[in-house]
Every structure is written in C-alpha cells, then in structure tokens.
Amino acid sequence: MPSHSGLLTIMERAARKAAPRLRRDFNEVQQLQVSRKGPADFVTMADQRAEQTIFEELSHGRPDWGMLMEERGEIAGDPNKPRFIVDPLDGTSNFLHGIPHFAISIAVEELLPNGKREITAALIYQPLTDESFWAERGRGAWLTDQRLRVSSRREMSEALIATGIPFMGHGDFVQWSRIFGNVAPQVAGIRRLGSAALDLAWVAAGRYDGYWESNLKPWDVAAGLLLVKEAGGYVTDFRGGDRPMERNEYLAANDGLHSKLHKLVAGALR
C-alpha cells in the first residue's frame, strides 16, 4: 500500500474530525434543527457544522488554497494554487430520514497549464461504516489499505447499475425515464441509494458495475470521478465524450461494460 501523501493526510484528518459529530447527530436525527433551502432540498445544522469543521482543518493545512463548498459556495484562494471541492454531507435526505447511507466528499482540483481543470486527489468517507475511499492521480484508488479495482463483469445481464432519480425541482424526469426504459430490461438490477459520492465510490470498488446520472453539483461527483478512473474504470458524458462535468452528465463503468451502457443511454437521447 502506498502511504498517504501529506495532502491526503490533511483531507482524511478533516473528514475524520467532522465525522463523530455527524454520527451523534444522525443518532438524534429527530431533534435536528432543519431549515428549507429549496424545494425538497434540506440543509441541517449537522451539515453546517461538518462543513465548518472541514473548512477549518483544510484552511489550516493549505491556507492559500481556495475552496468550493456546498453551503459556503466559492471561497477565493491563490488562483495559481489548487482548490478543494467539498460536500460535507452527501446524502442529506437519507440522513434526515434515518437512513444510514451518506458520506463526506473532498476533492482537489488543479488548474493545468493548458487552462483545463483536473481532479488530482479524492477522499470519500462514510462515517457510519468507517470506510475511507481515496485516490490520487497516478497512484490508484484505495479503500483504506486495499487496492480498488472496478468489477470484471462483461455481460449486461449480470450487471448491477446505480443511478439517481429526478425528484421535485431536480432533474429531467422525461430523459431519465427514457434511459431507465432502455437500461432496465438489459441488466440484473438498478439501485438508487441516494448518494452520488458513494455510488461512484462503489463503482470503483466493484460493488456496482456501472452508474449514470445528470444534473448534479461539482461537489457531489468530483471525488468519485477520480476514484473510478484510478480504479481502472471509464467516466464520460452521455455522448461518450470526456466532458462529464461540463455537460453535467455522468456515465461510469468498467472497460467491458461502458460501451454497452453508453449505447443504451445514448439511444434513449435520440
């Protein structure tokens, strides 16, 4: 196992410092103060406290870096340095309903000399299971000290595919239902568990064989995209191109299933 870089150590320390309070709040979910942020889009005191803790830890470790955070938005840093992309609680609706499936997601985005931005480090931490999925560009993807590889399945009939389902005020239900109609009859099952970060981490870990979703925020997917790539998988937009974050379309799978899943998704968009 490669040792954590100094950067990954800072990221994991931030997530683990925020985690105990999240676990306590989850156990007292009925007592949480909940405010409406938008249609079916809740923000909790737990979310805000976790983000504050992560902000303080990352700022201490890399004081001149900027951040993009779910609650605080964009925080300026040195434009020549990388920035953190943070979701302190991915799976807020699960959390509020007492469903034990949520995660902290932290990614590092660097500005390359050609002007493109690239994710170069990623951490997705599940506080309840103590699972730490992490990756750095060129160093592979890991679950704590275990190397991750995408699944080796080659047949759609054996594949378990993850997705998100549009809901009130979020997403294009007509488009999603067309894709679902194409994919569902061809696969062993489709799952919707409510955390895009964990969906992608589970593709990297080979638990899921593929994933599609659109209309997400950068902090939902930034870390997971690198995990899948470093675990040997492919991530594209729905057209098969390399602009998933620009198009806000995410299609991830292993090398044997990606083209097959892409054909089904792209066929639904014609």
Side-chain angles (χ1 to χ4, degrees):
M1 168 195 168
S3 59
H4 268 182
S5 67
L7 176 57
L8 249 301
T9 298
I10 290 167
M11 293 160 65
E12 180 141 9
R13 185 186 302 134
R16 288 185 177 276
K17 189 161 185 180
R21 187 61 183 263
L22 277 180
R23 287 193 288 267
R24 285 196 301 271
D25 285 339
F26 180 72
N27 290 329
E28 300 173 11
V29 68
Q30 299 305 322
Q31 283 72 50
L32 282 176
Q33 299 177 52
V34 182
S35 62
R36 285 280 184 131
K37 191 168 63 173
D41 192 4
F42 298 102
V43 59
T44 67
M45 293 299 291
D47 207 325
Q48 294 168 339
R49 282 193 293 257
E51 185 168 281
Q52 177 64 27
T53 299
I54 294 167
F55 171 76
E56 291 170 359
E57 287 294 312
L58 296 180
S59 296
H60 179 72
R62 293 290 188 273
D64 51 352
W65 287 19
M67 297 190 203
L68 179 63
M69 311 187 85
E70 182 179 15
E71 306 304 337
R72 290 172 180 245
E74 193 156 1
I75 299 162
D78 184 334
N80 298 313
K81 296 288 180 67
R83 68 172 179 173
F84 292 107
I85 301 177
V86 179
D87 191 341
L89 178 53
D90 185 62
T92 307
S93 294
N94 283 347
F95 187 94
L96 279 172
H97 287 82
I99 297 171
H101 191 75
F102 55 88
I104 296 166
S105 177
I106 305 173
V108 172
E109 182 185 64
E110 292 191 37
L111 184 62
L112 302 180
N114 62 8
K116 291 185 68 175
R117 295 183 176 274
E118 185 171 337
I119 305 301
T120 56
L123 174 79
I124 294 173
Y125 181 66
Q126 218 291 28
L128 298 182
T129 60
D130 193 35
E131 290 182 307
S132 179
F133 301 88
W134 61 276
E136 289 185 282
R137 187 178 58 182
R139 300 185 73 210
W142 302 80
L143 173 53
T144 309
D145 59 354
Q146 177 185 354
R147 183 71 181 258
L148 294 181
R149 294 294 300 176
V150 291
S151 81
S152 58
R153 293 183 184 88
R154 293 291 182 266
E155 300 301 325
M156 290 296 286
S157 60
E158 299 175 353
L160 190 63
I161 307 297
T163 188
I165 302 176
F167 58 98
M168 184 171 61
H170 294 262
D172 182 340
F173 190 79
V174 172
Q175 182 193 79
W176 180 88
S177 61
R178 286 179 183 153
I179 296 171
F180 180 85
N182 271 12
V183 174
Q186 306 296 324
V187 299
I190 293 180
R191 299 288 182 268
R192 196 280 196 202
L193 296 188
S195 167
L198 286 173
D199 285 344
L200 288 163
W202 285 19
V203 171
R207 298 175 186 178
Y208 289 141
D209 302 295
Y211 166 80
W212 94 86
E213 192 166 358
S214 59
N215 294 294
L216 295 167
K217 300 296 185 183
W219 46 80
D220 296 324
V221 296
L225 298 180
L226 182 63
L227 276 162
V228 172
K229 292 175 186 176
E230 288 293 324
Y234 288 83
V235 182
T236 67
D237 54 48
F238 289 173
R239 294 156 181 79
D242 63 352
R243 298 165 59 195
M245 292 190 80
E246 289 176 52
R247 294 187 179 276
N248 204 356
E249 300 170 344
Y250 305 93
L251 179 61
N254 66 33
D255 59 340
L257 293 175
H258 187 279
S259 62
K260 297 175 182 178
L261 185 58
H262 169 243
K263 285 178 184 175
L264 294 173
V265 170
L269 304 179
R270 294 194 185 105

